[in-house]
Amino acid sequence: MNDNVYVLDHPLIQHKLSILRDKDTGTKMFRELVSEIAMLMCYEATRDIPLKEVDVETPVAIARTKVIAGRKLAFVPILRAGLGMVDGVLNLVPSAKVGHIGMYRDPETMEPVNYYCKLPADLPEREVIVLDPMLATGGSAIDAVNTIKKYNPKSIKFMCIIAAPEGLKAFTDAHPEIHVYCASKDIKLNEHSYIIPGLGDAGDRIFGTK
Ligand code: PRP
Ligand code: URA
């Protein structure tokens, strides 16, 4: 596996992921779990954010302590399902900006169709974390990152909940420098390019559309 792929195997993430996969988990619980898992994953994905030293006056002395250095974040969910991860990551980084990329898989060809893009104007000053719960063939993620790269962000990371080996390979072949964070590398894709065992259609389960 590419050195830039991180499988986040923290027990809390793995426990919540098991409930998320269950076909009997309803929309409300599913939505909450996606948000919680995204928050926990974001904690890991931001581990390398640079710090700088500052002096803070406590009630009793001056503390030489650390705060996050000037580098700013932007989260970019891939619509629709990526929206389910936004609340969770904003809980951790409330000052981050949020861009949106609209993308769906053509049900016949499985090719991604890009239908919307609105990104923060100051992207060249920002580190971008792209959000999508599912990396299946990788087509949507590859295309979204191709689009974001045109806006010259400082850096890009990709965060998904479940990744298929096929999608991971395609993505890391296309964008080898990008760090990918997932909670599970699953077994394979089925003949409809759904992840096995996966969790079904993430967008439909988040929004209750099926
Ligand atoms: C899902 C998922 C990803 C994409 C992954 O979106 O949220 O964006 O499929 O598949 P890929 O790796 O093969 O491109 P979907 O196309 O179902 O759209 P939706 O989020 O609007 O439901
Ligand atoms: N998109 C999903 O929502 N689920 C899959 O298994 C594959 C793509």
Side-chain angles (χ1 to χ4, degrees):
M1 193 156 55
N2 181 303
D3 284 349
N4 288 338
V5 175
Y6 303 90
V7 181
L8 304 180
D9 58 0
H10 191 286
L12 289 175
I13 295 177
Q14 294 304 313
H15 180 85
K16 289 175 191 294
L17 177 57
S18 298
I19 306 171
L20 195 68
R21 288 185 191 275
D22 189 331
K23 67 177 174 40
D24 293 327
T25 296
T27 302
K28 176 176 181 288
M29 174 75 82
F30 192 90
R31 221 179 262 152
E32 288 169 2
L33 286 164
V34 167
S35 178
E36 288 168 8
I37 291 170
M39 183 175 75
L40 294 168
M41 292 184 72
C42 182
Y43 178 78
E44 290 292 340
T46 51
R47 186 174 279 283
D48 61 352
I49 286 185
L51 295 169
K52 65 177 181 189
E53 294 209 329
V54 291
D55 287 333
V56 170
E57 197 175 341
T58 79
V60 285
I62 301 291
R64 187 79 181 145
T65 184
K66 291 179 180 137
V67 295
I68 290 171
R71 218 149 154 217
K72 302 183 213 162
L73 276 181
F75 295 113
V76 180
I78 301 178
L79 309 181
R80 289 178 299 168
L83 285 176
M85 301 170 78
V86 174
D87 277 3
V89 296
L90 286 180
N91 275 338
L92 283 194
V93 193
S95 60
K97 294 205 174 169
V98 181
H100 295 87
I101 292 203
M103 195 87 78
Y104 70 88
R105 297 199 307 178
D106 182 297
E108 302 298 323
T109 64
M110 292 300 154
E111 289 295 314
V113 181
N114 190 329
Y115 62 89
Y116 186 76
C117 178
K118 184 81 180 171
L119 299 173
D122 59 355
L123 218 59
E125 294 167 30
R126 291 186 181 266
E127 177 172 336
V128 169
I129 302 185
V130 183
L131 308 172
D132 192 329
M134 309 303 274
L135 183 74
T137 64
S140 306
I142 290 169
D143 221 57
V145 169
N146 282 337
T147 302
I148 294 167
K149 279 185 171 175
K150 292 181 191 149
Y151 294 80
N152 293 316
K154 272 193 170 157
S155 67
I156 303 177
K157 291 173 178 169
F158 182 77
M159 207 169 99
C160 60
I161 296 180
I162 298 182
E166 296 89 333
L168 276 177
K169 175 161 187 349
F171 186 86
T172 53
D173 284 352
H175 299 295
E177 80 288 5
I178 292 187
H179 290 210
V180 178
Y181 301 85
C182 62
S184 174
K185 181 179 175 183
D186 272 14
I187 297 170
K188 60 173 185 176
L189 295 177
N190 71 8
E191 63 279 19
H192 305 294
S193 295
Y194 270 78
I195 301 175
I196 301 296
L199 48 71
D201 188 304
D204 283 339
R205 294 197 67 185
I206 290 169
F207 296 106
T209 39
K210 222 171 231 170

